[in-house]
Amino acid sequence: MRVFIVGTGNMAGGIATRALAGGHMVRLVGTDPAKAANLAAALAERTAGADVAPAVPDAVGSADVVVLAVPFDVARQVVAEYGDHLAGKTVVDISNPVDFATFDSLTVPPNSSGAQQIAEAAAPGTRVVKAFNTTFAGALVAGEVGGLPLDVFIAGDDAAARDQVAELVSSGGLNPVVVGGLRHARELEGIQLLHMALQTRPEGHGWMSAIKIVAP
């Protein structure tokens, strides 16, 4: 797949690492071209034969999957600005609309989610999928926690888009868990709110823990 990642931070690097491990092409789009180039260089050094490079925003029209590795408010702005360039594309929202001052609430109304608001801001035909919001960057780079592959929870209304994201996840050595329609993004964001809050406690896990479904 041609995977375009909007953002150049730690989560962008973690998701890019998994995409490259799966043999996909990765292009990085950032507001600072130097940061995108530096991240691409670091990823290329980390993964032999990696097809990774910086790209300009207008190039997202050639993407199969666009990952919004940016905060919620920025992601909402990005889809509005890209407009029809995203129509027909699978767009992955990884954000968590959390009150980062307190880690005690979400910043969206109770009947909504960050992913749903991003979908509303996007052009008609944009296939928004929630994924990677319950994973931390360091664990993504490692691909596992405690010897177990990360679970990546996936929510979206378009079945083909969900399947596309599931393939991206599994090819990178992770375990896709499809939970249903985009309305379930609210629950995924709430779960991660608690997960993030646990990291701020003295007995926290250093942002290297993971949420996983375990069954016999």
Side-chain angles (χ1 to χ4, degrees):
M1 293 183 220
R2 297 181 296 272
V3 181
F4 277 61
I5 300 178
V6 180
T8 55
N10 292 336
M11 283 297 293
I15 294 169
T17 298
R18 291 297 105 214
L20 292 170
H24 305 289
M25 182 195 88
V26 172
R27 295 294 180 263
L28 302 167
V29 179
T31 54
D32 185 339
K35 286 185 178 180
N38 289 340
L39 179 56
L43 290 163
E45 184 176 349
R46 185 188 302 164
T47 307
D51 185 354
V52 56
V56 296
D58 287 348
V60 299
S62 64
D64 296 311
V65 176
V66 178
V67 180
L68 304 176
V70 292
F72 164 60
D73 289 337
V74 178
R76 191 165 45 180
Q77 294 171 11
V78 166
V79 295
E81 290 171 2
Y82 283 8
D84 290 339
H85 288 293
L86 299 179
K89 305 293 181 186
T90 297
V91 175
V92 180
D93 164 41
I94 75 164
S95 70
N96 288 293
V98 170
D99 182 343
F100 289 100
T102 61
F103 285 101
D104 66 358
S105 63
L106 297 175
T107 59
V108 292
N111 62 344
S112 184
S113 67
Q116 288 169 297
Q117 292 197 7
I118 288 167
E120 290 169 2
T126 304
R127 307 187 302 173
V128 175
V129 175
K130 190 79 177 186
F132 294 106
N133 78 297
T134 61
T135 55
F136 294 136
L140 278 169
V141 172
E144 63 179 31
V145 170
L148 298 173
L150 297 183
D151 281 356
V152 177
F153 299 93
I154 300 168
D157 292 335
D158 187 289
R162 291 197 308 258
D163 290 345
Q164 196 172 29
V165 176
E167 170 59 24
L168 176 63
V169 168
S170 61
S171 66
L174 310 180
N175 181 45
V177 181
V178 178
V179 301
L182 197 62
R183 67 186 182 278
H184 292 301
R186 174 76 188 190
E187 287 75 39
L188 296 181
E189 292 166 5
I191 289 172
Q192 186 64 357
L193 167 63
L194 296 176
H195 190 200
M196 295 169 77
L198 290 174
Q199 311 306 307
T200 67
R201 297 181 179 181
E203 66 275 20
H205 305 291
W207 303 91
M208 283 297 294
S209 59
I211 298 171
K212 187 166 187 64
I213 302 296
V214 179

